[in-house]
Amino acid sequence: MKNYELVLHRVEADLAAGRLRLGGRLPGERSLAEQLGISRPSVREAVRVLEAMGIVRTATGSGPEAGAVIVAEPAAPLTALLRLHLATDHLPMGDIVQTRVLLESWTAREAARQVGGSDPASGGLETAEELLERMDAPELSPEEFHLLDAEFHVALSALAGNVLIAAVMSSLRTAIHGYVLAAVPNLADWDATAVGLRAEHRSIVGAIRSGEGDQAAALITAHIEGFYRAAQLR
Amino acid sequence: MKNYELVLHRVEADLAAGRLRLGGRLPGERSLAEQLGISRPSVREAVRVLEAMGIVRTATGSGPEAGAVIVAEPAAPLTALLRLHLATDHLPMGDIVQTRVLLESWTAREAARQVGGSDPASGGLETAEELLERMDAPELSPEEFHLLDAEFHVALSALAGNVLIAAVMSSLRTAIHGYVLAAVPNLADWDATAVGLRAEHRSIVGAIRSGEGDQAAALITAHIEGFYRAAQLR
């Protein structure tokens, strides 16, 4: 085991045992180095890894003895991980599309089961509906539209209440954002595409609202697969 | 953006553009530091992050100018990420079980579609079947049994041919290994449990072999949920 990995294992064990808690601080650099018998640069490398993994946050200027604050933010590091592996070209885009279809058809079905038939003014669909209204603005650039679109899909996924699936979904969506934008010129007619996407979004929300889970799952599957086909994303 | 993040962005861009390739090497520490106008310790921190993310591997003793080798190993870092976040207690075990059920029922259905009805001596089910035979050994400890069990589930997942879903599945399974073992004492009778798990595994493989996807998905769902219930994993 490399020296910086000693720190990761120690932090994992301390978290699991409740000796470290959210909002608390890691011991300072010198203290960790002494306790584990390793150099301070090795501790610093480990803290960077923990930071990249969304376990701690370090403030600039607070000094190495202030200790990094424990946070729990899995979505950003998962995004970074997926982006890097997408870039290596050993993670095919087709597998990502298939994964999105699997996760999002499940979350749409679950959302329909949980919020279906509820009062239109409640149930958590408001965020998604508000995003649809913002996507109606005709002056949006493809980039602005896709950012709202991504937020809309993430909002739907969150309705199912599974933090892991929501984090994976959100990371997938963010990780492929650049690829989606780069593919916009492949679309024959962006304005026509946007009209179609808006209508599809509304029918998905309608199916969830009325509790038709199978229908919502089928619509979101066709929506995702249709866009990747039209944009020739590979 | 922090200094080490400059290195991550640079590596991601170089990978995406094909300037860095699998098996190739990162520029050495000094060269990267000069190109990006940052300190060598910042470069070293970034290389550790890339290593923790499965993008590079560094050999001990090869010196900072040798350059880390580009690899593409997403499963181990995903495992580390999930383990750390499980330890923070903000990733509920119930969400992990639900995710396993979703991914594994899908992979079982896909595997049945792809290898179902094929010659018993082919189709990729041999690895899974060999693991079942090894799990029949009566002298296995719960730990040995669970390691083989995890390998069996990972082998089934790989049959569906989606590298992302297989990596997530494998990471989930490894990340929860310690929790599964810790829960063994909750089982009323380990030997009886093992007999049941063996029979369930065989019926899952049988359903995949004969191409009954829905049946395979239902069996694997009952298998996963039943075990977590019996072991009172939370």
Side-chain angles (χ1 to χ4, degrees):
Chain A
M1 192 178 297
K2 296 185 176 175
N3 282 347
Y4 79 98
E5 292 179 302
L6 292 173
V7 181
L8 303 192
H9 280 264
R10 160 70 180 274
V11 169
E12 186 186 330
D14 284 353
L15 284 168
R19 287 186 294 270
L20 282 177
R21 287 170 189 282
L22 207 74
R25 282 178 185 275
L26 279 192
E29 233 175 73
R30 186 171 48 189
S31 161
L32 272 174
E34 280 170 6
Q35 288 174 42
L36 296 166
I38 61 179
S39 71
R40 290 178 64 165
S42 291
V43 172
R44 213 168 305 136
E45 291 169 13
V47 171
R48 285 303 182 210
V49 171
L50 288 169
E51 184 169 54
M53 289 199 167
I55 296 296
V56 303
R57 200 185 294 142
T58 61
T60 30
S62 57
E65 290 319 319
V69 178
I70 310 289
V71 296
E73 292 163 354
L78 198 50
T79 303
L81 186 61
L82 287 169
R83 282 175 61 113
L84 279 162
H85 284 280
L86 262 169
T88 66
D89 229 15
H90 285 255
L91 178 52
M93 184 60 78
D95 287 9
I96 291 204
V97 178
Q98 202 173 41
T99 308
R100 277 196 63 191
V101 166
L102 173 61
L103 300 184
E104 295 201 49
S105 58
W106 179 83
T107 52
R109 191 177 275 116
E110 271 298 299
R113 198 175 61 74
Q114 292 181 32
V115 313
S118 66
D119 184 328
S122 73
L125 270 170
E126 303 75 30
T127 310
E129 281 168 343
E130 205 184 291
L131 288 160
L132 291 188
E133 284 182 25
R134 290 170 62 193
M135 271 186 270
D136 281 344
E139 72 279 10
L140 292 177
S141 68
E143 168 143 29
E144 291 166 328
F145 187 94
H146 279 301
L147 284 172
L148 292 169
D149 194 336
E151 268 190 75
F152 167 75
H153 282 268
V154 170
L156 285 190
S157 297
L159 289 178
N162 183 309
V163 300
L164 178 58
I165 291 176
V168 173
M169 226 309 283
S170 158
S171 301
L172 280 175
R173 202 64 179 74
T174 313
I176 61 176
H177 181 68
Y179 297 83
V180 169
L181 273 190
V184 165
N186 296 340
L187 297 166
D189 177 348
W190 165 250
D191 289 333
T193 302
V195 169
L197 294 175
R198 287 185 189 108
E200 289 166 23
H201 288 155
R202 290 201 190 275
S203 62
I204 292 163
V205 168
I208 293 175
R209 170 74 73 202
S210 56
E212 299 164 278
D214 288 343
Q215 173 72 355
L219 287 169
I220 208 160
T221 299
H223 170 66
I224 296 170
E225 290 178 346
F227 180 78
Y228 283 95
R229 211 167 28 240
Q232 301 166 51
L233 264 159
R234 308 216 193 295
Chain B
M1 194 179 293
K2 295 184 177 177
N3 282 347
Y4 78 98
E5 292 178 302
L6 293 173
V7 181
L8 303 192
H9 281 263
R10 161 69 180 274
V11 168
E12 186 186 330
D14 283 354
L15 284 167
R19 287 186 295 269
L20 281 177
R21 289 170 188 281
L22 208 74
R25 282 178 186 276
L26 279 193
E29 231 174 74
R30 185 171 48 191
S31 161
L32 272 174
E34 280 169 7
Q35 288 173 44
L36 297 166
I38 61 178
S39 71
R40 291 179 63 166
S42 291
V43 172
R44 213 169 304 137
E45 291 168 13
V47 172
R48 285 301 183 214
V49 170
L50 288 168
E51 184 169 56
M53 290 200 167
I55 297 296
V56 304
R57 200 185 294 140
T58 61
T60 31
S62 57
E65 291 319 317
V69 178
I70 310 290
V71 296
E73 291 163 352
L78 199 49
T79 303
L81 186 61
L82 288 170
R83 282 177 60 113
L84 279 163
H85 284 280
L86 262 170
T88 66
D89 228 14
H90 285 255
L91 179 51
M93 183 60 77
D95 287 9
I96 292 205
V97 177
Q98 201 172 40
T99 308
R100 278 196 62 192
V101 166
L102 173 61
L103 300 183
E104 295 201 49
S105 59
W106 180 82
T107 52
R109 190 176 276 115
E110 270 299 297
R113 198 175 62 74
Q114 292 181 33
V115 313
S118 65
D119 185 325
S122 74
L125 269 170
E126 304 74 26
T127 310
E129 281 169 342
E130 205 184 292
L131 287 161
L132 291 188
E133 283 183 25
R134 290 170 62 195
M135 270 185 270
D136 281 345
E139 72 278 10
L140 292 177
S141 68
E143 168 142 28
E144 290 165 329
F145 187 93
H146 280 301
L147 283 172
L148 293 168
D149 194 334
E151 269 191 73
F152 167 75
H153 281 268
V154 170
L156 285 191
S157 297
L159 289 179
N162 183 310
V163 299
L164 178 58
I165 290 176
V168 173
M169 226 309 284
S170 158
S171 301
L172 280 176
R173 201 61 177 78
T174 314
I176 60 176
H177 181 68
Y179 297 83
V180 169
L181 273 190
V184 165
N186 296 340
L187 298 165
D189 178 347
W190 166 249
D191 290 332
T193 302
V195 169
L197 295 175
R198 288 185 188 107
E200 289 166 22
H201 288 156
R202 290 201 190 275
S203 61
I204 292 164
V205 168
I208 293 175
R209 172 73 75 204
S210 56
E212 299 164 279
D214 288 343
Q215 173 73 354
L219 287 169
I220 208 160
T221 299
H223 170 67
I224 296 170
E225 289 179 345
F227 180 78
Y228 282 94
R229 211 167 26 241
Q232 301 166 48
L233 264 159
R234 310 218 193 291

